[in-house]
Amino acid sequence: MEELARRFFPPYRRYLIWGPVTKCLEVGFDLLTPLVIAWMIDSGVNAGDTDVIWQGVGLLAGMAFLGFGVTLICQKMASLASQGVGTDIRAALIEKMGTFSAAELDRFGAPTLVTRTTNDVNQLQLAISMLIRQLIRWPALAVGSVVCALAIDVPLGLVFCVCLPVLAAVFYLVMSRSVPFFAGMQAKLDAIGRLVRETASGVRPIRAFNREAFQEARFREASQEQADMAVGAGRLTALLSPATFLVMNVGIACVLWLGGGSVTAGRLEQGQVMALIGYMNQLLVSIAYIANLVVIFTRAAASAERVEEVLACEPTVTDAGVCEQPTETGAPVLEMERVSFSFPNAGRPALMDVSLVLEPGQSLGVIGGTGSGKSALASLVPRLYDATEGSVRVAGRDVRDLPLSQLRRLVAFVPQRAELVSGTVRDNLRWRGEDATDDELWAALEAAQAADFVRRLPEGLDAPVEPNGRNFSGGQRQRLTVARALVEPSALVVLDDSASALDYATDAALRRALAHLPGSPARLVISQRISTVSSCDQVLVLDQGQVMGLGTHDELLAGCPLYREIADSQLRQEEAA
């Protein structure tokens, strides 16, 4: 929490200062109230002086009005500070996530990042609001009540001093045991978020395989675990109120017992005893609210740790700088030299000792079974991951030495999963070129074999795109993501199995269009279809991360048993021959 405060509180320092100051004024009025009432009883009621009573009523009304005014000011300060800090933290989290490589995203996972950006930040906002509105008020009122009680009568004031350490011990015991529960509750919320995401995105296969009951059982189990954790925390925090009320009621009883004797002995006035009881009640209410603050700040501390974990995470892929680096004229567009790569905590390397060269205008197909390392290889080119060993060069420069903005202009990457965002077709296509004209967008759609179905949409380029592009078919989404990558020229186009949902005729038309793109960019084409890679200048065959063959289609048919096996399984005998 301290790190977050140092980073995000300074712009709102004036709210964090003036809010508690106004709250202290309100506390001052609250502490004067029992004294005014005591004066009204002793000098007005007991003496039969109605003027004193009316003066006291006016004084109480004036303090109430002023207290209401400063409360409104404090409330505004609290709202501005809490909402402002919460907005800044969320912006920082989103900015930090933008720097993460695929490794950090794999480490955290989308559900927990969503929970930390929403629920955890909400807890922090609540804590900041309570910090301004309540954290000063109730402790100050509690301490002020003790001081005023001692000022009225020292022996009776000592009753207050005995109650405070007992209550402090209760708070410590409850708070120290509550923190693990609140941290566990947030972790359980991550699990619930993950299940909701899986269920929402996989509703079709869930229904197709009649797994609704299974998913419901999983969700009930996760919800029950979160509920059990919450109940455990609730049982602990529920002890605060009865324990504090017990201690304070015993204190009130002691004040009445001892105060009654003092009034009889003439040492105290009746109004003073009433003031002491008023201060004891204020102390009781203060302690009850402090108990609530303990719960709020305990939950906020757990949330702060989770937010700080994200903000403190250092990405494994760091930008080489903001200045563009000169590329080597005539150098290979892509060169890998003895590249190996392992996913974090993986049992074996995803790629081992891969070397290849792709010249300008050439095409390289990559084929292999599931888990052979094809997508891992594609991810190394735009630096979604960094190679564990060896070097990856684009246009003659190591990708680690190129600014990410320059690298990702040189490399047009089409991921395996077609991801679209809510908006319009035009909005999605302009991700690669914000200033692209409509003519350039249509040219990219033509090359991606997507122009025909976009023209059939009533709004054309302004047709709406729902989240994840769910209003388009799988093949349409793939073609739109290909078009997005082709909006601006590049030196290398990487297609990570991005035509798997296309029929063979559309796939062939797409490959022909890619071969005649303006500027003749090199192409790295990853696929499980032999027909897709067979027309490439070279084909790389992977198996369990190892290179099993590299050459032309004919060379591999003759000299690579694995490639021949794939060809025999997909092509008719005469085509393979």
Side-chain angles (χ1 to χ4, degrees), residues 184-382:
M185 285 170 61
Q186 297 304 111
K188 297 301 181 184
L189 281 175
D190 290 345
I192 292 175
R194 183 179 64 253
L195 285 173
V196 170
R197 184 186 180 94
E198 289 177 355
T199 302
S201 61
V203 63
R204 292 181 180 178
I206 289 171
R207 289 178 177 175
F209 288 93
N210 196 28
R211 301 296 285 175
E212 293 94 336
F214 174 74
Q215 283 296 105
E216 290 173 5
R218 292 181 66 199
F219 186 81
R220 279 196 301 270
E221 182 181 356
S223 297
Q224 188 60 49
E225 290 178 355
Q226 199 274 342
D228 292 341
M229 194 74 68
V231 168
R235 286 173 178 168
L236 277 173
T237 56
L239 296 174
L240 281 175
S241 291
T244 54
F245 275 91
L246 174 62
V247 174
M248 299 312 298
N249 285 331
V250 170
I252 290 175
C254 291
V255 169
L256 287 173
W257 177 266
L258 298 174
S262 297
V263 171
T264 303
R267 192 165 57 84
L268 289 176
E269 298 288 340
Q270 293 175 347
Q272 291 177 309
V273 174
M274 293 299 297
L276 287 170
I277 294 174
Y279 286 126
M280 183 62 76
N281 282 323
Q282 284 187 346
L283 182 60
L284 172 62
V285 172
S286 300
I287 296 302
Y289 273 99
I290 290 173
N292 185 52
L293 291 178
V294 168
V295 175
I296 290 173
F297 284 106
T298 300
R299 295 191 68 172
S303 294
E305 289 182 6
R306 289 160 51 84
V307 170
E308 288 173 351
E309 184 183 8
V310 176
L311 294 177
C313 178
E314 292 297 330
T316 54
V317 174
T318 55
D319 202 336
V322 295
C323 298
E324 293 198 4
Q325 302 296 317
T327 56
E328 295 182 12
T329 304
V333 173
L334 174 63
E335 184 177 6
M336 292 188 177
E337 184 177 355
R338 303 185 67 83
V339 168
S340 296
F341 171 71
S342 297
F343 289 103
N345 303 318
R348 62 175 182 80
L351 292 171
M352 291 175 282
D353 199 25
V354 177
S355 297
L356 59 88
V357 175
L358 181 58
E359 298 291 344
Q362 288 188 340
S363 58
L364 172 67
V366 182
I367 195 169
T370 301
S372 59
K374 304 186 299 298
S375 292
L377 184 144
S379 298
L380 298 180
V381 180

Side-chain angles (χ1 to χ4, degrees), residues 509-541:
L510 174 61
R511 283 184 277 119
R512 287 194 297 270
L514 291 175
H516 296 88
L517 287 174
S520 300
R523 302 173 306 285
L524 178 64
V525 182
I526 294 172
S527 179
Q528 298 193 48
R529 292 179 180 177
I530 206 82
S531 60
T532 300
V533 301
S534 60
S535 60
C536 293
D537 298 313
Q538 284 188 311
V539 180
L540 176 70
V541 185

Side-chain angles (χ1 to χ4, degrees), residues 41-53:
I41 293 173
D42 295 335
S43 300
V45 176
N46 291 341
D49 190 344
T50 57
D51 290 339
V52 171
I53 296 175

Side-chain angles (χ1 to χ4, degrees), residues 490-515:
S490 60
L492 172 64
V493 178
V494 179
L495 298 101
D496 182 8
D497 203 12
S498 50
S500 58
L502 304 185
D503 58 80
Y504 283 92
T506 305
D507 183 19
L510 174 61
R511 283 184 277 119
R512 287 194 297 270
L514 291 175

Side-chain angles (χ1 to χ4, degrees), residues 67 180 188 297-298 320 332 373 392 472 548 556 566:
K188 297 301 181 184
F297 284 106
T298 300
V392 179
F472 293 100
M548 307 304 294
L556 293 173
I566 297 173

